[in-house]
Amino acid sequence: MFDRLQAVEDRYEKLNELLSDPEIVNDPKKLREYSKEQSDIQETVEVYRQYKDITQQFKDAKAMLEEKLDADMREMVKEEVSELEEQIEPLEEKLKFLLIPKDPNDDKNVIMEVRGAAGGDEAALFAGDLYRMYSRYAESQGWKIEIMESNSTGVGGYKEIIFMINGSGAYSKMKYENGAHRVQRVPETESGGRIHTSTATVACLPEAEEVEVDIHEKDIRVDTFASSGPGGQSVNTTMSAVRLTHVPTGVVVSCQDEKSQIKNKEKAMKVLRARIYDKFQREAQAEYDATRKSAVGTGDRSERIRTYNFPQNRVTDHRIGLTIQKLDQILEGKMDEVIDALIFEDQSKKLERMEE
């Protein structure tokens, strides 16, 4: 582990030199690339240096105990040795986690797709609850939300809503929401007070840059049609809605939220690029999983990952066996306890694999 940490520190110093090189400073692409690499390893280097400093102080203090000291001085040095020793193990643990390879998508914006599944209107209402939960959580993180496409129901829910969360590290936290979410509650329309079970599915896709997904115009079929639903006079009169079909993969995206056909096409392209990138990633992951399946990962979309039980104000994440009696707070966007637990479990599993 310490050889790897030393290599990281050496690389950090090399990046310092490169970022001072006029040739690099005048090359925006390399400057951005090296700055990001340095930023990614900065915490690891800072903690490693702190660790080295404390272990050196510990060795020096231990060496002093071998010398002739008066009783008061010996007691002071013993206290210092004890205090320093207590700091070493937590720093070693932190360094282990910092050495876990980072998901290259973690810093990206995320495109989320929430759909009502089994349960009719109640499932659509639940999809709306999940969208509001994610919106409030995004606000608490200082992220911005942009709706890409929505298909609302008359009862206040969504058959489908697609939105982008713009913010540093958005994907690193939201990727654990990937999967099927189940709700247990008494619907407002249920006169007998019986608890119903409904589901909604959530897909989380990292936003893909143009350089990451090579999409040729010739491979895209563009269809335009009149938008439908609420929206004023332009609805059903102008051909502003856009449907994009990526012929090689069969991925289809439509967007009609904007009155402008150009804006709808821009939004649809973002979703199309993210879905194709996700498709390639999932195919590569499937090959990897054929030989080794990860315990938490980002979850399969068909897998039931979480249950929201309204009568008992309870949320259970089935992947890690976490149960919290704070459903009301979580639906208000206070998701940190759940997300932090998922991140810790994921990192712990990765650490175990590294140590095998």
Side-chain angles (χ1 to χ4, degrees), residues 63-287:
M64 280 183 72
L65 290 176
E66 303 297 319
E67 300 171 7
K68 289 183 179 179
L69 303 170
D70 62 50
D72 288 345
M73 178 61 78
R74 182 169 292 279
E75 197 55 41
M76 278 178 58
V77 174
K78 277 184 177 179
E79 275 184 37
E80 186 182 357
V81 167
S82 179
E83 286 171 10
L84 290 166
E85 194 170 20
E86 284 176 11
Q87 295 179 55
I88 290 172
E89 191 176 336
L91 284 171
E92 282 183 354
E93 285 302 306
K94 189 170 184 180
L95 285 168
K96 285 178 187 176
F97 281 105
L98 286 169
L99 280 175
I100 295 169
K102 194 177 176 185
D103 183 336
N105 292 318
D106 274 353
D107 290 332
K108 294 182 179 179
N109 299 328
V110 60
I111 292 174
M112 299 192 70
E113 305 180 0
V114 182
R115 294 180 176 84
D121 285 346
E122 176 62 15
L125 284 168
F126 180 46
D129 291 338
L130 291 176
Y131 166 65
R132 283 183 286 278
M133 176 180 77
Y134 295 138
S135 298
R136 287 164 184 159
Y137 178 68
E139 282 173 24
S140 74
Q141 301 296 305
W143 300 335
K144 297 260 190 289
I145 290 236
E146 178 188 4
I147 294 179
M148 316 293 283
E149 177 70 350
S150 63
N151 184 355
S152 58
T153 63
V155 294
Y158 292 99
K159 289 180 182 174
E160 172 188 70
I161 182 163
I162 302 172
F163 54 99
M164 178 182 281
I165 300 179
N166 293 279
S168 177
Y171 184 74
S172 70
K173 295 188 173 182
M174 302 312 298
K175 63 185 177 182
Y176 300 102
E177 297 305 297
N178 226 357
H181 296 241
R182 180 175 71 170
V183 63
Q184 295 172 323
R185 63 183 170 190
V186 179
E188 291 178 17
T189 54
E190 173 56 63
S191 56
R194 288 176 301 176
I195 295 173
H196 284 228
T197 298
S198 306
T199 57
T201 60
V202 177
C204 307
L205 318 176
E207 183 187 17
E209 302 293 333
E210 287 186 41
V211 293
E212 293 172 315
V213 181
D214 193 14
I215 300 177
H216 300 289
E217 285 287 335
K218 64 181 177 60
D219 291 334
I220 300 174
R221 188 173 70 242
V222 181
D223 299 306
T224 57
F225 56 98
S227 57
S228 59
Q233 293 180 344
S234 64
V235 174
N236 295 323
T237 57
T238 61
M239 304 294 277
S240 59
V242 173
R243 183 186 300 109
L244 303 180
T245 305
H246 185 247
V247 178
T249 60
V251 175
V252 180
V253 175
S254 61
C255 187
Q256 61 174 18
D257 264 31
E258 302 285 348
K259 291 180 181 177
S260 157
Q261 187 183 113
I262 293 171
K263 286 184 179 178
N264 279 328
K265 187 178 178 184
E266 284 175 2
K267 282 189 173 183
M269 272 301 295
K270 282 186 179 181
V271 178
L272 183 72
R273 191 174 290 116
R275 284 191 188 169
I276 292 171
Y277 181 66
D278 180 63
K279 177 181 168 64
F280 293 154
Q281 277 206 313
R282 289 170 72 80
E283 285 172 356
Q285 185 66 33
E287 284 182 30

